[in-house]
Amino acid sequence: MDYLKTIIPSQLVSDRGSNLVVINPGSANIRIGLATQDAPLNIPHCIARYTNQIPKFKVQDQMLNSQITTVQHMEREKAYDIIASLLKIPFLDEEVANNSFPRKIGRADGYNPHSGRGVAFQWANVCEQDTNSSLALGSSKNEGMSGEYVKKHEGTDAEGISSGERKFRGHIFGEEALRISSTEPYCLSRPIRRGHFNISQHYPLQQVLEDIHAIWDWILIEKLHIPHSERNMYSAILVLPETFDNREIKEMLSIALRDLRFSSAVVHQEGLAAVFGNGLSTACIVNMGAQVTSVVCVEDGVALPSTEKTLPFGGEDISRCLLWTQRHHQTWPQVRTDMLTKPIDLLMLNRLKESYCKIKEGELDAVTVVHSYEDGMPAGSHKTRLTALNVPPMGLFYPTLLVPDIYPPPPRSWFHDYENMLEDTLHLEYPRRPDMSDGLFPGINVGYPMWESYPIFPSKPKKEEKIGLAEAITSSILSTGRIDLQRKLFCSIQLIGGEALTAGFIPAVEERVLHAIPSNEAIDTVEVLQSRTNPTFVSWKGGAILGVLDFGRDAWIYREDWIRNGIHVQSGRKYKDSYYLQAQATCYINS
């Protein structure tokens, strides 16, 4: 304690953070880095595997049902007109092109003038750079990981990768994987989708886990330069979204401890970590990710599970809405743009959204260059005027505008678990049913086969809400039931995630939430707090702070214990999440 009183924060981070790897996985991107870094790496969470299967999938989850029904289409157009009325722009069916008066066009400058938004993406080079190197990934730096994965995957043996004079790379990761032409023999996989493992009949659990392992291992070796031989000197901090179910958390712990060989690991909630990332103790955390938006309230460093809300839409849906809006107004070039089957188009649309979309009144147009990416051809450039750029971000408040794609859900019984890993279960007794095996009790090895035989108990459902963002925030805060806490939370809303950078979004949230509060509630003030850290990685930063401050290490799980006994260790101590460590840490964060 004397050490903590005398040390300066930067020295504390330097002393304790050099061997802590903070991992914050999401549906679209993974933020990962050492706790001593100022900012994490932000890498698309995907992998493209070489395949010689015929017929072959270009994208692993391309069997999505993305057909919009007539009812959905009508609801989308109605939502557009509601937003148009609010923003004081023409309705969808108004013919503004024939108007004899010139339109007043707002200037739509992007956030970063040096973002290179007019530069086309280049197709990835899928061939080996050095024909004398290992065929698995074409680089001696990848030794120790690539060969293992190549053997596991059909069609990625040395003979399968060689095709005539060309020698293909076995695996391609991150943004490079999104820039592979569909003419090349690769299948793109995204192991996490809409806040859950992307399990389907075309993407089995074992492949999902192998892909997560492969992506994380590649980052550790190639980007953070932590080889397998040194991995036992590092610990992992998993900062996980609230959307994950108990078993998914356990599987990721197994990947970190058993497969990636970290010496120890701990789990922190994404929303909870965000509070610490901004030096707060109480706040309503609104996390706007690429595919999921979630809301959770935190009081005095403790997340309140009853306040969790999950909305099945995010930044990628805004990008899709941007494309729909332009096509409806006939401002999009006559090119084949498809975010689902051509991932490079997703990169382009995300960039356009980040550069030009904002929330403000009046017509908002911009002249820009749109690129077309036809298979095997250089990118084509099309100068065009985009319109109604302030409409797509408003879809977070009116989700029928976004029409999220319909994904075939995994069997929900798979996610049921007799123990909630994000709640304190130290003193709970579980009734033993006659059909329960001895393997479900302490002291017996609990491995993957045992998880398949877990009994299904009624558990708190993590259901998705079919409401807009303002209603979700209001409902989450009001569910706390205490007027003093409610008033504090309504004045302590914290926006995190990439969409929090959208210009004009903060006043829009304040206005919409204020209107969503029922008139019988004695609350008349709503305030969104300015983030002290980049909203994109504030949860990652909070995870790093929690890892450095967790001097007691009460919640940490050690590799040997996890491999030998799963969640039950010989001492009788069960895994407990860090809900109850914050009281110890808060005083040091705020000091």
Side-chain angles (χ1 to χ4, degrees):
M1 293 300 294
D2 292 337
Y3 165 77
L4 289 172
K5 290 177 181 177
T6 58
I7 196 170
I8 59 176
S10 58
Q11 184 182 345
L12 181 64
V13 172
S14 177
D15 288 352
R16 293 184 168 172
S18 58
N19 68 335
L20 296 177
V21 177
V22 185
I23 304 173
N24 178 209
S27 297
N29 297 286
I30 177 172
R31 290 152 292 276
I32 184 170
L34 292 170
T36 51
Q37 295 176 260
D38 292 331
L41 300 167
N42 193 23
I43 298 172
H45 206 182
C46 58
I47 175 176
R49 293 178 177 273
Y50 173 87
T51 178
N52 57 10
Q53 294 176 346
I54 300 175
K56 67 178 179 5
F57 288 138
K58 302 293 184 185
V59 180
Q60 190 77 48
D61 50 6
Q62 69 176 2
M63 301 302 291
L64 307 178
N65 176 16
S66 58
Q67 298 301 314
I68 296 176
T69 66
T70 303
V71 172
Q72 286 175 318
H73 186 75
M74 292 173 61
E75 289 178 341
R76 167 179 266 183
E77 293 187 340
K78 181 181 177 181
Y80 186 104
D81 287 343
I82 293 173
I83 294 169
S85 176
L86 291 169
L87 298 177
K88 298 179 173 59
I89 63 176
F91 287 4
L92 202 58
D93 57 354
E94 290 184 9
E95 191 59 55
V96 295
N98 296 329
N99 194 324
S100 58
F101 296 97
R103 289 194 294 164
K104 185 179 180 181
I105 299 174
R107 183 172 177 178
D109 290 325
Y111 258 96
N112 183 3
H114 306 294
S115 62
R117 62 189 181 212
V119 179
F121 292 100
Q122 300 297 314
W123 293 114
N125 181 8
V126 299
C127 295
E128 294 284 2
Q129 298 297 318
D130 180 3
T131 55
N132 295 323
S133 67
S134 168
L135 293 176
L137 276 177
S139 171
S140 59
K141 290 185 291 183
N142 293 311
E143 263 185 76
M145 66 163 282
S146 54
E148 176 184 350
Y149 300 129
V150 168
K151 292 175 185 176
K152 287 182 179 179
H153 196 260
E154 180 183 355
T156 54
D157 55 291
E159 292 78 12
I161 295 179
S162 179
S163 177
E165 295 297 319
R166 303 181 74 191
K167 292 185 178 179
F168 294 101
R169 298 158 66 184
H171 307 78
I172 300 176
F173 302 90
E175 184 187 295
E176 199 176 7
L178 299 175
R179 295 189 283 106
I180 298 176
S181 169
S182 61
T183 60
E184 303 291 359
Y186 285 85
C187 179
L188 179 74
S189 300
R190 299 179 179 91
I192 298 176
R193 179 257 299 157
R194 300 275 181 202
H196 287 290
F197 286 172
N198 193 5
I199 301 169
S200 70
Q201 60 178 347
H202 303 286
Y203 200 4
L205 167 64
Q206 191 56 40
Q207 189 63 57
V208 168
L209 299 179
E210 285 185 20
D211 286 349
I212 294 175
H213 176 204
I215 295 167
W216 295 9
D217 204 22
W218 170 76
I219 295 172
L220 289 169
I221 293 173
E222 290 296 311
K223 303 298 183 180
L224 297 181
H225 310 293
I226 304 176
H228 291 151
S229 59
E230 299 176 9
R231 205 73 58 77
N232 63 345
M233 295 186 288
Y234 291 83
S235 296
I237 302 167
L238 299 180
V239 182
L240 302 182
E242 285 79 5
T243 55
F244 284 128
D245 288 282
N246 304 325
R247 182 173 173 183
E248 292 171 311
I249 297 171
K250 293 178 181 178
E251 299 285 8
M252 282 186 279
L253 272 169
S254 285
I255 290 172
L257 293 170
R258 183 197 63 196
D259 302 327
L260 296 177
R261 309 177 192 176
F262 283 107
S263 63
S264 60
V266 69
V267 175
H268 288 292
Q269 273 187 289
E270 197 170 57
L272 190 63
V275 171
F276 285 87
N278 267 332
L280 304 171
S281 62
T282 299
C284 175
I285 305 299
V286 183
N287 186 358
M288 296 167 289
Q291 298 178 7
V292 174
T293 297
S294 60
V295 181
V296 66
C297 295
V298 178
E299 180 187 14
D300 295 332
V302 178
L304 308 176
S306 62
T307 65
E308 290 179 9
K309 302 288 180 184
T310 300
L311 310 176
F313 48 79
E316 289 184 4
D317 299 293
I318 295 175
S319 297
R320 287 193 308 108
C321 183
L322 172 64
L323 177 61
W324 172 79
T325 303
Q326 305 315 310
R327 282 177 167 164
H328 195 95
H329 285 285
Q330 299 181 349
T331 60
W332 196 257
Q334 294 298 312
V335 296
R336 186 176 64 92
T337 304
D338 187 344
M339 290 176 58
L340 294 180
T341 61
K342 292 169 61 184
I344 197 168
D345 283 341
L346 172 62
L347 291 175
M348 174 188 64
L349 285 162
N350 281 339
R351 179 190 282 176
L352 290 174
K353 174 198 66 179
E354 293 163 5
S355 299
Y356 297 110
C357 283
K358 60 173 66 174
I359 297 179
K360 62 177 292 186
E361 284 190 0
E363 296 182 47
L364 185 62
D365 293 10
V367 175
T368 188
V369 174
V370 169
H371 295 103
S372 58
Y373 299 93
E374 297 302 328
D375 297 337
M377 302 290 291
S381 298
H382 312 268
K383 189 175 182 179
T384 187
R385 180 185 297 274
L386 303 181
T387 189
L389 293 165
N390 44 355
V391 171
M394 290 292 289
L396 293 175
F397 303 107
Y398 300 91
T400 52
L401 178 76
L402 302 178
V403 193
D405 295 308
I406 300 172
Y407 294 78
R412 297 309 299 169
S413 60
W414 184 88
F415 291 109
H416 282 292
D417 203 334
Y418 83 108
E419 178 172 26
N420 189 342
M421 295 197 68
L422 291 180
E423 293 178 359
D424 185 7
T425 57
L426 277 171
H427 307 295
L428 295 183
E429 294 293 332
Y430 293 96
R432 181 171 182 177
R433 290 181 355 194
D435 57 339
M436 291 170 68
S437 67
D438 290 335
L440 296 174
F441 288 86
I444 305 297
N445 181 45
V446 181
Y448 285 106
M450 302 309 301
W451 289 356
E452 299 297 344
S453 63
Y454 271 10
I456 297 177
F457 283 85
S459 61
K460 179 189 65 180
K462 295 194 174 183
K463 62 181 180 180
E464 295 175 343
E465 305 279 348
K466 305 297 183 182
I467 55 177
L469 182 59
E471 290 76 19
I473 295 172
T474 303
S475 173
S476 175
I477 294 176
L478 291 179
S479 70
T480 60
R482 289 168 32 215
I483 186 64
D484 59 325
L485 179 58
Q486 292 168 356
R487 286 174 173 165
K488 188 173 184 179
L489 290 170
F490 274 116
C491 291
S492 306
I493 298 173
Q494 183 179 347
L495 306 180
I496 65 174
E499 299 312 306
L501 294 170
T502 302
F505 194 67
I506 288 178
V509 169
E510 291 176 339
E511 180 183 0
R512 302 310 306 166
V513 170
L514 189 59
H515 280 92
I517 299 174
S519 58
N520 61 337
E521 297 289 345
I523 296 165
D524 55 10
T525 306
V526 173
E527 183 180 355
V528 173
L529 302 177
Q530 290 286 344
S531 181
R532 303 179 189 176
T533 309
N534 186 324
T536 306
F537 54 78
V538 65
S539 291
W540 178 90
K541 191 66 178 177
I545 292 171
L546 285 169
V548 170
L549 291 177
D550 183 15
F551 48 88
R553 302 183 76 83
D554 290 335
W556 289 76
I557 308 167
Y558 295 91
R559 184 170 190 264
E560 295 77 9
D561 289 337
W562 184 259
I563 293 174
R564 188 184 309 115
N565 299 304
I567 59 172
H568 301 293
V569 295
Q570 297 294 349
S571 65
R573 179 176 65 86
K574 272 181 159 183
Y575 169 72
K576 184 173 68 172
D577 185 55
S578 53
Y579 274 126
Y580 304 102
L581 296 179
Q582 284 67 37
Q584 304 172 32
T586 302
C587 58
Y588 299 109
I589 290 180
N590 294 327
S591 61

